[in-house]
PDB file of all heavy atoms in Angstrom:
ATOM      1  N   LEU A   6    -215.104 108.178  16.287  1.00 96.00           N
ATOM      2  CA  LEU A   6    -215.755 108.209  14.978  1.00 96.00           C
ATOM      3  C   LEU A   6    -217.116 108.860  15.139  1.00 96.00           C
ATOM      4  O   LEU A   6    -217.825 108.603  16.113  1.00 96.00           O
ATOM      5  CB  LEU A   6    -215.896 106.796  14.417  1.00 96.00           C
ATOM      6  CG  LEU A   6    -214.579 106.091  14.102  1.00 96.00           C
ATOM      7  CD1 LEU A   6    -214.820 104.642  13.709  1.00 96.00           C
ATOM      8  CD2 LEU A   6    -213.816 106.832  13.013  1.00 96.00           C
ATOM      9  N   TYR A   7    -217.489 109.716  14.190  1.00 96.00           N
ATOM     10  CA  TYR A   7    -218.725 110.481  14.285  1.00 96.00           C
ATOM     11  C   TYR A   7    -219.845 109.978  13.385  1.00 96.00           C
ATOM     12  O   TYR A   7    -221.011 110.187  13.670  1.00 96.00           O
ATOM     13  CB  TYR A   7    -218.462 111.948  13.963  1.00 96.00           C
ATOM     14  CG  TYR A   7    -217.446 112.611  14.850  1.00 96.00           C
ATOM     15  CD1 TYR A   7    -216.513 113.495  14.329  1.00 96.00           C
ATOM     16  CD2 TYR A   7    -217.406 112.348  16.219  1.00 96.00           C
ATOM     17  CE1 TYR A   7    -215.584 114.111  15.135  1.00 96.00           C
ATOM     18  CE2 TYR A   7    -216.471 112.955  17.037  1.00 96.00           C
ATOM     19  CZ  TYR A   7    -215.566 113.843  16.493  1.00 96.00           C
ATOM     20  OH  TYR A   7    -214.634 114.452  17.282  1.00 96.00           O
ATOM     21  N   ASP A   8    -219.492 109.350  12.285  1.00 96.00           N
ATOM     22  CA  ASP A   8    -220.536 108.921  11.348  1.00 96.00           C
ATOM     23  C   ASP A   8    -220.005 107.769  10.504  1.00 96.00           C
ATOM     24  O   ASP A   8    -218.807 107.637  10.301  1.00 96.00           O
ATOM     25  CB  ASP A   8    -220.940 110.085  10.442  1.00 96.00           C
ATOM     26  CG  ASP A   8    -222.316 109.893   9.807  1.00 96.00           C
ATOM     27  OD1 ASP A   8    -222.965 108.855  10.070  1.00 96.00           O
ATOM     28  OD2 ASP A   8    -222.739 110.773   9.057  1.00 96.00           O
ATOM     29  N   VAL A   9    -220.934 106.956  10.023  1.00 96.00           N
ATOM     30  CA  VAL A   9    -220.604 105.852   9.138  1.00 96.00           C
ATOM     31  C   VAL A   9    -221.711 105.743   8.103  1.00 96.00           C
ATOM     32  O   VAL A   9    -222.884 105.971   8.419  1.00 96.00           O
ATOM     33  CB  VAL A   9    -220.425 104.528   9.925  1.00 96.00           C
ATOM     34  CG1 VAL A   9    -221.680 104.120  10.643  1.00 96.00           C
ATOM     35  CG2 VAL A   9    -219.929 103.411   9.026  1.00 96.00           C
ATOM     36  N   ALA A  10    -221.341 105.467   6.869  1.00 96.00           N
ATOM     37  CA  ALA A  10    -222.327 105.321   5.794  1.00 96.00           C
ATOM     38  C   ALA A  10    -221.824 104.274   4.811  1.00 96.00           C
ATOM     39  O   ALA A  10    -220.623 104.155   4.579  1.00 96.00           O
ATOM     40  CB  ALA A  10    -222.540 106.644   5.076  1.00 96.00           C
ATOM     41  N   PHE A  11    -222.765 103.528   4.243  1.00 95.00           N
ATOM     42  CA  PHE A  11    -222.424 102.494   3.272  1.00 95.00           C
ATOM     43  C   PHE A  11    -223.067 102.824   1.937  1.00 95.00           C
ATOM     44  O   PHE A  11    -224.238 103.225   1.875  1.00 95.00           O
ATOM     45  CB  PHE A  11    -222.878 101.123   3.774  1.00 95.00           C
ATOM     46  CG  PHE A  11    -221.858 100.470   4.660  1.00 95.00           C
ATOM     47  CD1 PHE A  11    -221.676 100.899   5.954  1.00 95.00           C
ATOM     48  CD2 PHE A  11    -221.054  99.448   4.182  1.00 95.00           C
ATOM     49  CE1 PHE A  11    -220.722 100.324   6.775  1.00 95.00           C
ATOM     50  CE2 PHE A  11    -220.083  98.863   4.980  1.00 95.00           C
ATOM     51  CZ  PHE A  11    -219.921  99.307   6.280  1.00 95.00           C
ATOM     52  N   LEU A  12    -222.288 102.632   0.872  1.00 95.00           N
ATOM     53  CA  LEU A  12    -222.781 102.829  -0.488  1.00 95.00           C
ATOM     54  C   LEU A  12    -223.571 101.615  -0.951  1.00 95.00           C
ATOM     55  O   LEU A  12    -224.506 101.729  -1.734  1.00 95.00           O
ATOM     56  CB  LEU A  12    -221.612 103.074  -1.437  1.00 95.00           C
ATOM     57  CG  LEU A  12    -220.716 104.259  -1.074  1.00 95.00           C
ATOM     58  CD1 LEU A  12    -219.463 104.255  -1.921  1.00 95.00           C
ATOM     59  CD2 LEU A  12    -221.491 105.551  -1.232  1.00 95.00           C
ATOM     60  N   ASP A  13    -223.166 100.445  -0.487  1.00 94.00           N
ATOM     61  CA  ASP A  13    -223.841  99.190  -0.767  1.00 94.00           C
ATOM     62  C   ASP A  13    -223.470  98.231   0.358  1.00 94.00           C
ATOM     63  O   ASP A  13    -222.923  98.667   1.377  1.00 94.00           O
ATOM     64  CB  ASP A  13    -223.475  98.645  -2.159  1.00 94.00           C
ATOM     65  CG  ASP A  13    -221.976  98.486  -2.382  1.00 94.00           C
ATOM     66  OD1 ASP A  13    -221.246  98.120  -1.427  1.00 94.00           O
ATOM     67  OD2 ASP A  13    -221.525  98.718  -3.515  1.00 94.00           O
ATOM     68  N   GLU A  14    -223.699  96.952   0.221  1.00 91.00           N
ATOM     69  CA  GLU A  14    -223.434  96.006   1.308  1.00 91.00           C
ATOM     70  C   GLU A  14    -221.948  95.843   1.622  1.00 91.00           C
ATOM     71  O   GLU A  14    -221.591  95.404   2.712  1.00 91.00           O
ATOM     72  CB  GLU A  14    -224.049  94.644   1.001  1.00 91.00           C
ATOM     73  CG  GLU A  14    -225.548  94.652   1.113  1.00 91.00           C
ATOM     74  CD  GLU A  14    -226.138  93.256   1.013  1.00 91.00           C
ATOM     75  OE1 GLU A  14    -225.393  92.271   1.177  1.00 91.00           O
ATOM     76  OE2 GLU A  14    -227.343  93.167   0.774  1.00 91.00           O
ATOM     77  N   GLN A  15    -221.073  96.194   0.693  1.00 95.00           N
ATOM     78  CA  GLN A  15    -219.636  95.995   0.875  1.00 95.00           C
ATOM     79  C   GLN A  15    -218.843  97.269   1.126  1.00 95.00           C
ATOM     80  O   GLN A  15    -217.912  97.276   1.918  1.00 95.00           O
ATOM     81  CB  GLN A  15    -219.053  95.279  -0.350  1.00 95.00           C
ATOM     82  CG  GLN A  15    -219.628  93.893  -0.583  1.00 95.00           C
ATOM     83  CD  GLN A  15    -219.327  92.968   0.577  1.00 95.00           C
ATOM     84  OE1 GLN A  15    -218.196  92.861   1.021  1.00 95.00           O
ATOM     85  NE2 GLN A  15    -220.347  92.288   1.078  1.00 95.00           N
ATOM     86  N   ARG A  16    -219.191  98.354   0.463  1.00 97.00           N
ATOM     87  CA  ARG A  16    -218.382  99.572   0.491  1.00 97.00           C
ATOM     88  C   ARG A  16    -218.938 100.606   1.447  1.00 97.00           C
ATOM     89  O   ARG A  16    -220.088 101.019   1.323  1.00 97.00           O
ATOM     90  CB  ARG A  16    -218.276 100.178  -0.904  1.00 97.00           C
ATOM     91  CG  ARG A  16    -217.621  99.240  -1.898  1.00 97.00           C
ATOM     92  CD  ARG A  16    -217.596  99.819  -3.279  1.00 97.00           C
ATOM     93  NE  ARG A  16    -218.976 100.043  -3.742  1.00 97.00           N
ATOM     94  CZ  ARG A  16    -219.323 100.979  -4.612  1.00 97.00           C
ATOM     95  NH1 ARG A  16    -218.431 101.797  -5.108  1.00 97.00           N
ATOM     96  NH2 ARG A  16    -220.581 101.097  -4.988  1.00 97.00           N
ATOM     97  N   GLY A  17    -218.079 101.034   2.413  1.00 96.00           N
ATOM     98  CA  GLY A  17    -218.514 102.021   3.382  1.00 96.00           C
ATOM     99  C   GLY A  17    -217.391 102.948   3.809  1.00 96.00           C
ATOM    100  O   GLY A  17    -216.210 102.670   3.577  1.00 96.00           O
ATOM    101  N   LEU A  18    -217.774 104.056   4.446  1.00 96.00           N
ATOM    102  CA  LEU A  18    -216.843 105.049   4.970  1.00 96.00           C
ATOM    103  C   LEU A  18    -217.240 105.401   6.394  1.00 96.00           C
ATOM    104  O   LEU A  18    -218.427 105.451   6.718  1.00 96.00           O
ATOM    105  CB  LEU A  18    -216.871 106.325   4.138  1.00 96.00           C
ATOM    106  CG  LEU A  18    -216.373 106.221   2.706  1.00 96.00           C
ATOM    107  CD1 LEU A  18    -216.715 107.489   1.943  1.00 96.00           C
ATOM    108  CD2 LEU A  18    -214.873 105.986   2.687  1.00 96.00           C
ATOM    109  N   ALA A  19    -216.247 105.666   7.227  1.00 95.00           N
ATOM    110  CA  ALA A  19    -216.472 106.188   8.571  1.00 95.00           C
ATOM    111  C   ALA A  19    -215.590 107.419   8.726  1.00 95.00           C
ATOM    112  O   ALA A  19    -214.450 107.427   8.256  1.00 95.00           O
ATOM    113  CB  ALA A  19    -216.126 105.143   9.629  1.00 95.00           C
ATOM    114  N   VAL A  20    -216.116 108.462   9.351  1.00 94.00           N
ATOM    115  CA  VAL A  20    -215.358 109.702   9.549  1.00 94.00           C
ATOM    116  C   VAL A  20    -215.340 110.041  11.025  1.00 94.00           C
ATOM    117  O   VAL A  20    -216.261 109.703  11.771  1.00 94.00           O
ATOM    118  CB  VAL A  20    -215.946 110.870   8.727  1.00 94.00           C
ATOM    119  CG1 VAL A  20    -215.837 110.585   7.246  1.00 94.00           C
ATOM    120  CG2 VAL A  20    -217.388 111.135   9.112  1.00 94.00           C
ATOM    121  N   GLY A  21    -214.254 110.733  11.442  1.00 93.00           N
ATOM    122  CA  GLY A  21    -214.151 111.026  12.857  1.00 93.00           C
ATOM    123  C   GLY A  21    -213.258 112.195  13.181  1.00 93.00           C
ATOM    124  O   GLY A  21    -212.950 113.037  12.332  1.00 93.00           O
ATOM    125  N   ALA A  22    -212.815 112.211  14.442  1.00 91.00           N
ATOM    126  CA  ALA A  22    -212.030 113.302  14.996  1.00 91.00           C
ATOM    127  C   ALA A  22    -210.738 113.504  14.227  1.00 91.00           C
ATOM    128  O   ALA A  22    -210.159 112.559  13.684  1.00 91.00           O
ATOM    129  CB  ALA A  22    -211.721 113.017  16.466  1.00 91.00           C
ATOM    130  N   MET A  23    -210.304 114.759  14.188  1.00 88.00           N
ATOM    131  CA  MET A  23    -209.036 115.157  13.572  1.00 88.00           C
ATOM    132  C   MET A  23    -208.947 114.746  12.108  1.00 88.00           C
ATOM    133  O   MET A  23    -207.863 114.452  11.593  1.00 88.00           O
ATOM    134  CB  MET A  23    -207.854 114.626  14.389  1.00 88.00           C
ATOM    135  CG  MET A  23    -207.826 115.204  15.800  1.00 88.00           C
ATOM    136  SD  MET A  23    -206.453 114.651  16.783  1.00 88.00           S
ATOM    137  CE  MET A  23    -205.101 115.469  15.950  1.00 88.00           C
ATOM    138  N   GLY A  24    -210.076 114.673  11.434  1.00 87.00           N
ATOM    139  CA  GLY A  24    -210.095 114.399  10.003  1.00 87.00           C
ATOM    140  C   GLY A  24    -209.896 112.956   9.598  1.00 87.00           C
ATOM    141  O   GLY A  24    -209.653 112.677   8.438  1.00 87.00           O
ATOM    142  N   VAL A  25    -210.004 112.032  10.544  1.00 90.00           N
ATOM    143  CA  VAL A  25    -209.797 110.624  10.199  1.00 90.00           C
ATOM    144  C   VAL A  25    -210.917 110.149   9.265  1.00 90.00           C
ATOM    145  O   VAL A  25    -212.081 110.470   9.462  1.00 90.00           O
ATOM    146  CB  VAL A  25    -209.696 109.728  11.449  1.00 90.00           C
ATOM    147  CG1 VAL A  25    -211.003 109.609  12.177  1.00 90.00           C
ATOM    148  CG2 VAL A  25    -209.182 108.352  11.082  1.00 90.00           C
ATOM    149  N   ILE A  26    -210.537 109.440   8.231  1.00 93.00           N
ATOM    150  CA  ILE A  26    -211.480 108.829   7.292  1.00 93.00           C
ATOM    151  C   ILE A  26    -211.061 107.377   7.118  1.00 93.00           C
ATOM    152  O   ILE A  26    -209.907 107.092   6.801  1.00 93.00           O
ATOM    153  CB  ILE A  26    -211.483 109.536   5.918  1.00 93.00           C
ATOM    154  CG1 ILE A  26    -211.821 111.011   6.079  1.00 93.00           C
ATOM    155  CG2 ILE A  26    -212.467 108.837   4.967  1.00 93.00           C
ATOM    156  CD1 ILE A  26    -211.629 111.817   4.802  1.00 93.00           C
ATOM    157  N   LEU A  27    -211.997 106.470   7.354  1.00 95.00           N
ATOM    158  CA  LEU A  27    -211.743 105.042   7.182  1.00 95.00           C
ATOM    159  C   LEU A  27    -212.634 104.508   6.080  1.00 95.00           C
ATOM    160  O   LEU A  27    -213.759 104.986   5.902  1.00 95.00           O
ATOM    161  CB  LEU A  27    -212.053 104.283   8.480  1.00 95.00           C
ATOM    162  CG  LEU A  27    -211.343 104.747   9.742  1.00 95.00           C
ATOM    163  CD1 LEU A  27    -211.853 103.951  10.943  1.00 95.00           C
ATOM    164  CD2 LEU A  27    -209.848 104.603   9.600  1.00 95.00           C
ATOM    165  N   SER A  28    -212.163 103.503   5.362  1.00 96.00           N
ATOM    166  CA  SER A  28    -213.001 102.885   4.332  1.00 96.00           C
ATOM    167  C   SER A  28    -212.952 101.373   4.473  1.00 96.00           C
ATOM    168  O   SER A  28    -212.001 100.808   5.016  1.00 96.00           O
ATOM    169  CB  SER A  28    -212.539 103.298   2.935  1.00 96.00           C
ATOM    170  OG  SER A  28    -211.317 102.685   2.605  1.00 96.00           O
ATOM    171  N   THR A  29    -213.999 100.739   3.978  1.00 97.00           N
ATOM    172  CA  THR A  29    -214.067  99.281   3.920  1.00 97.00           C
ATOM    173  C   THR A  29    -214.613  98.878   2.569  1.00 97.00           C
ATOM    174  O   THR A  29    -215.464  99.565   1.996  1.00 97.00           O
ATOM    175  CB  THR A  29    -214.939  98.706   5.059  1.00 97.00           C
ATOM    176  OG1 THR A  29    -214.922  97.277   4.977  1.00 97.00           O
ATOM    177  CG2 THR A  29    -216.378  99.193   4.996  1.00 97.00           C
ATOM    178  N   ASN A  30    -214.120  97.776   2.053  1.00 97.00           N
ATOM    179  CA  ASN A  30    -214.620  97.213   0.801  1.00 97.00           C
ATOM    180  C   ASN A  30    -215.121  95.791   0.997  1.00 97.00           C
ATOM    181  O   ASN A  30    -215.409  95.091   0.029  1.00 97.00           O
ATOM    182  CB  ASN A  30    -213.515  97.214  -0.269  1.00 97.00           C
ATOM    183  CG  ASN A  30    -213.204  98.609  -0.744  1.00 97.00           C
ATOM    184  OD1 ASN A  30    -214.099  99.409  -0.960  1.00 97.00           O
ATOM    185  ND2 ASN A  30    -211.927  98.914  -0.885  1.00 97.00           N
ATOM    186  N   ASP A  31    -215.197  95.369   2.267  1.00 96.00           N
ATOM    187  CA  ASP A  31    -215.614  93.992   2.564  1.00 96.00           C
ATOM    188  C   ASP A  31    -216.705  93.945   3.640  1.00 96.00           C
ATOM    189  O   ASP A  31    -216.711  93.074   4.493  1.00 96.00           O
ATOM    190  CB  ASP A  31    -214.418  93.145   2.958  1.00 96.00           C
ATOM    191  CG  ASP A  31    -213.650  93.717   4.149  1.00 96.00           C
ATOM    192  OD1 ASP A  31    -214.148  94.655   4.811  1.00 96.00           O
ATOM    193  OD2 ASP A  31    -212.544  93.218   4.417  1.00 96.00           O
ATOM    194  N   GLY A  32    -217.618  94.905   3.588  1.00 94.00           N
ATOM    195  CA  GLY A  32    -218.743  94.906   4.515  1.00 94.00           C
ATOM    196  C   GLY A  32    -218.366  95.192   5.955  1.00 94.00           C
ATOM    197  O   GLY A  32    -219.092  94.834   6.874  1.00 94.00           O
ATOM    198  N   GLY A  33    -217.230  95.861   6.187  1.00 94.00           N
ATOM    199  CA  GLY A  33    -216.813  96.226   7.527  1.00 94.00           C
ATOM    200  C   GLY A  33    -215.907  95.230   8.208  1.00 94.00           C
ATOM    201  O   GLY A  33    -215.461  95.460   9.324  1.00 94.00           O
ATOM    202  N   ALA A  34    -215.595  94.116   7.564  1.00 94.00           N
ATOM    203  CA  ALA A  34    -214.706  93.129   8.167  1.00 94.00           C
ATOM    204  C   ALA A  34    -213.315  93.714   8.406  1.00 94.00           C
ATOM    205  O   ALA A  34    -212.667  93.399   9.394  1.00 94.00           O
ATOM    206  CB  ALA A  34    -214.613  91.891   7.289  1.00 94.00           C
ATOM    207  N   SER A  35    -212.873  94.596   7.516  1.00 96.00           N
ATOM    208  CA  SER A  35    -211.605  95.287   7.717  1.00 96.00           C
ATOM    209  C   SER A  35    -211.780  96.744   7.308  1.00 96.00           C
ATOM    210  O   SER A  35    -212.572  97.064   6.426  1.00 96.00           O
ATOM    211  CB  SER A  35    -210.486  94.626   6.902  1.00 96.00           C
ATOM    212  OG  SER A  35    -210.759  94.732   5.517  1.00 96.00           O
ATOM    213  N   TRP A  36    -211.037  97.607   7.992  1.00 96.00           N
ATOM    214  CA  TRP A  36    -211.083  99.050   7.746  1.00 96.00           C
ATOM    215  C   TRP A  36    -209.673  99.533   7.487  1.00 96.00           C
ATOM    216  O   TRP A  36    -208.727  99.066   8.094  1.00 96.00           O
ATOM    217  CB  TRP A  36    -211.658  99.778   8.954  1.00 96.00           C
ATOM    218  CG  TRP A  36    -213.092  99.464   9.195  1.00 96.00           C
ATOM    219  CD1 TRP A  36    -213.590  98.416   9.915  1.00 96.00           C
ATOM    220  CD2 TRP A  36    -214.217 100.164   8.695  1.00 96.00           C
ATOM    221  NE1 TRP A  36    -214.958  98.428   9.901  1.00 96.00           N
ATOM    222  CE2 TRP A  36    -215.379  99.494   9.162  1.00 96.00           C
ATOM    223  CE3 TRP A  36    -214.387 101.294   7.903  1.00 96.00           C
ATOM    224  CZ2 TRP A  36    -216.661  99.932   8.856  1.00 96.00           C
ATOM    225  CZ3 TRP A  36    -215.659 101.732   7.607  1.00 96.00           C
ATOM    226  CH2 TRP A  36    -216.779 101.055   8.079  1.00 96.00           C
ATOM    227  N   ARG A  37    -209.522 100.504   6.589  1.00 94.00           N
ATOM    228  CA  ARG A  37    -208.216 101.105   6.349  1.00 94.00           C
ATOM    229  C   ARG A  37    -208.363 102.624   6.353  1.00 94.00           C
ATOM    230  O   ARG A  37    -209.406 103.165   5.982  1.00 94.00           O
ATOM    231  CB  ARG A  37    -207.591 100.632   5.044  1.00 94.00           C
ATOM    232  CG  ARG A  37    -208.288 101.116   3.804  1.00 94.00           C
ATOM    233  CD  ARG A  37    -207.522 100.702   2.552  1.00 94.00           C
ATOM    234  NE  ARG A  37    -208.190 101.229   1.379  1.00 94.00           N
ATOM    235  CZ  ARG A  37    -207.999 102.445   0.880  1.00 94.00           C
ATOM    236  NH1 ARG A  37    -207.160 103.271   1.447  1.00 94.00           N
ATOM    237  NH2 ARG A  37    -208.650 102.848  -0.194  1.00 94.00           N
ATOM    238  N   ARG A  38    -207.306 103.281   6.828  1.00 92.00           N
ATOM    239  CA  ARG A  38    -207.316 104.745   6.899  1.00 92.00           C
ATOM    240  C   ARG A  38    -207.134 105.316   5.500  1.00 92.00           C
ATOM    241  O   ARG A  38    -206.203 104.925   4.792  1.00 92.00           O
ATOM    242  CB  ARG A  38    -206.200 105.229   7.815  1.00 92.00           C
ATOM    243  CG  ARG A  38    -206.254 106.729   8.058  1.00 92.00           C
ATOM    244  CD  ARG A  38    -205.084 107.176   8.890  1.00 92.00           C
ATOM    245  NE  ARG A  38    -205.090 106.571  10.182  1.00 92.00           N
ATOM    246  CZ  ARG A  38    -205.474 107.199  11.286  1.00 92.00           C
ATOM    247  NH1 ARG A  38    -205.873 108.442  11.233  1.00 92.00           N
ATOM    248  NH2 ARG A  38    -205.453 106.569  12.450  1.00 92.00           N
ATOM    249  N   VAL A  39    -208.026 106.214   5.119  1.00 90.00           N
ATOM    250  CA  VAL A  39    -207.927 106.898   3.831  1.00 90.00           C
ATOM    251  C   VAL A  39    -207.078 108.145   3.983  1.00 90.00           C
ATOM    252  O   VAL A  39    -206.216 108.430   3.161  1.00 90.00           O
ATOM    253  CB  VAL A  39    -209.321 107.253   3.272  1.00 90.00           C
ATOM    254  CG1 VAL A  39    -209.221 108.066   2.008  1.00 90.00           C
ATOM    255  CG2 VAL A  39    -210.137 105.991   3.050  1.00 90.00           C
ATOM    256  N   SER A  40    -207.313 108.907   5.046  1.00 69.00           N
ATOM    257  CA  SER A  40    -206.519 110.087   5.308  1.00 69.00           C
ATOM    258  C   SER A  40    -205.143 109.662   5.824  1.00 69.00           C
ATOM    259  O   SER A  40    -205.020 108.644   6.497  1.00 69.00           O
ATOM    260  CB  SER A  40    -207.219 111.001   6.313  1.00 69.00           C
ATOM    261  OG  SER A  40    -207.534 110.297   7.486  1.00 69.00           O
ATOM    262  N   ARG A  41    -204.119 110.423   5.525  1.00 64.00           N
ATOM    263  CA  ARG A  41    -202.761 110.013   5.878  1.00 64.00           C
ATOM    264  C   ARG A  41    -202.493 110.095   7.368  1.00 64.00           C
ATOM    265  O   ARG A  41    -202.197 109.116   7.993  1.00 64.00           O
ATOM    266  CB  ARG A  41    -201.759 110.879   5.117  1.00 64.00           C
ATOM    267  CG  ARG A  41    -201.854 110.618   3.641  1.00 64.00           C
ATOM    268  CD  ARG A  41    -200.858 111.432   2.914  1.00 64.00           C
ATOM    269  NE  ARG A  41    -201.138 111.272   1.498  1.00 64.00           N
ATOM    270  CZ  ARG A  41    -200.350 111.653   0.557  1.00 64.00           C
ATOM    271  NH1 ARG A  41    -199.225 112.222   0.861  1.00 64.00           N
ATOM    272  NH2 ARG A  41    -200.680 111.475  -0.690  1.00 64.00           N
ATOM    273  N   GLU A  42    -202.539 111.255   7.938  1.00 65.00           N
ATOM    274  CA  GLU A  42    -202.282 111.445   9.363  1.00 65.00           C
ATOM    275  C   GLU A  42    -203.410 112.277   9.949  1.00 65.00           C
ATOM    276  O   GLU A  42    -203.912 113.185   9.285  1.00 65.00           O
ATOM    277  CB  GLU A  42    -200.961 112.181   9.578  1.00 65.00           C
ATOM    278  CG  GLU A  42    -199.737 111.391   9.159  1.00 65.00           C
ATOM    279  CD  GLU A  42    -199.530 110.153  10.003  1.00 65.00           C
ATOM    280  OE1 GLU A  42    -199.836 110.182  11.202  1.00 65.00           O
ATOM    281  OE2 GLU A  42    -199.071 109.136   9.440  1.00 65.00           O
ATOM    282  N   PRO A  43    -203.805 112.010  11.191  1.00 59.00           N
ATOM    283  CA  PRO A  43    -204.812 112.857  11.819  1.00 59.00           C
ATOM    284  C   PRO A  43    -204.314 114.305  11.898  1.00 59.00           C
ATOM    285  O   PRO A  43    -203.119 114.531  12.135  1.00 59.00           O
ATOM    286  CB  PRO A  43    -204.952 112.267  13.226  1.00 59.00           C
ATOM    287  CG  PRO A  43    -204.423 110.894  13.119  1.00 59.00           C
ATOM    288  CD  PRO A  43    -203.379 110.922  12.040  1.00 59.00           C
ATOM    289  N   HIS A  44    -205.188 115.246  11.666  1.00 61.00           N
ATOM    290  CA  HIS A  44    -204.833 116.660  11.748  1.00 61.00           C
ATOM    291  C   HIS A  44    -206.053 117.474  12.132  1.00 61.00           C
ATOM    292  O   HIS A  44    -207.176 117.066  11.888  1.00 61.00           O
ATOM    293  CB  HIS A  44    -204.238 117.155  10.438  1.00 61.00           C
ATOM    294  CG  HIS A  44    -205.181 116.995   9.285  1.00 61.00           C
ATOM    295  ND1 HIS A  44    -205.324 115.804   8.623  1.00 61.00           N
ATOM    296  CD2 HIS A  44    -206.048 117.847   8.701  1.00 61.00           C
ATOM    297  CE1 HIS A  44    -206.234 115.943   7.659  1.00 61.00           C
ATOM    298  NE2 HIS A  44    -206.684 117.173   7.688  1.00 61.00           N
ATOM    299  N   ARG A  45    -205.800 118.595  12.732  1.00 62.00           N
ATOM    300  CA  ARG A  45    -206.878 119.494  13.117  1.00 62.00           C
ATOM    301  C   ARG A  45    -207.133 120.475  11.980  1.00 62.00           C
ATOM    302  O   ARG A  45    -206.201 121.005  11.389  1.00 62.00           O
ATOM    303  CB  ARG A  45    -206.517 120.271  14.374  1.00 62.00           C
ATOM    304  CG  ARG A  45    -206.420 119.402  15.594  1.00 62.00           C
ATOM    305  CD  ARG A  45    -206.243 120.301  16.811  1.00 62.00           C
ATOM    306  NE  ARG A  45    -205.964 119.497  17.961  1.00 62.00           N
ATOM    307  CZ  ARG A  45    -206.881 118.958  18.733  1.00 62.00           C
ATOM    308  NH1 ARG A  45    -208.150 119.128  18.458  1.00 62.00           N
ATOM    309  NH2 ARG A  45    -206.544 118.227  19.781  1.00 62.00           N
ATOM    310  N   ALA A  46    -208.407 120.722  11.717  1.00 58.00           N
ATOM    311  CA  ALA A  46    -208.756 121.774  10.757  1.00 58.00           C
ATOM    312  C   ALA A  46    -208.744 123.101  11.512  1.00 58.00           C
ATOM    313  O   ALA A  46    -209.365 123.233  12.551  1.00 58.00           O
ATOM    314  CB  ALA A  46    -210.136 121.492  10.152  1.00 58.00           C
TER     315      ALA A  46
END
């Protein structure tokens, strides 16, 4: 993972290698993949 940013105390995004995007809606307690499959640009 290359970067992480939060919109508020609960909602955040993390981005990383091969286009991976993760999101959280519970302050980071759980993360889910937003992008479907990792892929190279």
Side-chain angles (χ1 to χ4, degrees):
L6 295 173
Y7 301 140
D8 201 0
V9 61
F11 274 75
L12 303 170
D13 55 36
E14 288 189 17
Q15 298 298 311
R16 299 177 298 152
L18 294 169
V20 296
M23 298 181 69
V25 69
I26 302 171
L27 305 176
S28 72
T29 182
N30 289 318
D31 57 11
S35 63
W36 293 87
R37 69 175 182 86
R38 186 184 298 257
V39 175
S40 55
R41 294 181 188 192
E42 293 295 326
H44 59 278
R45 293 188 188 273

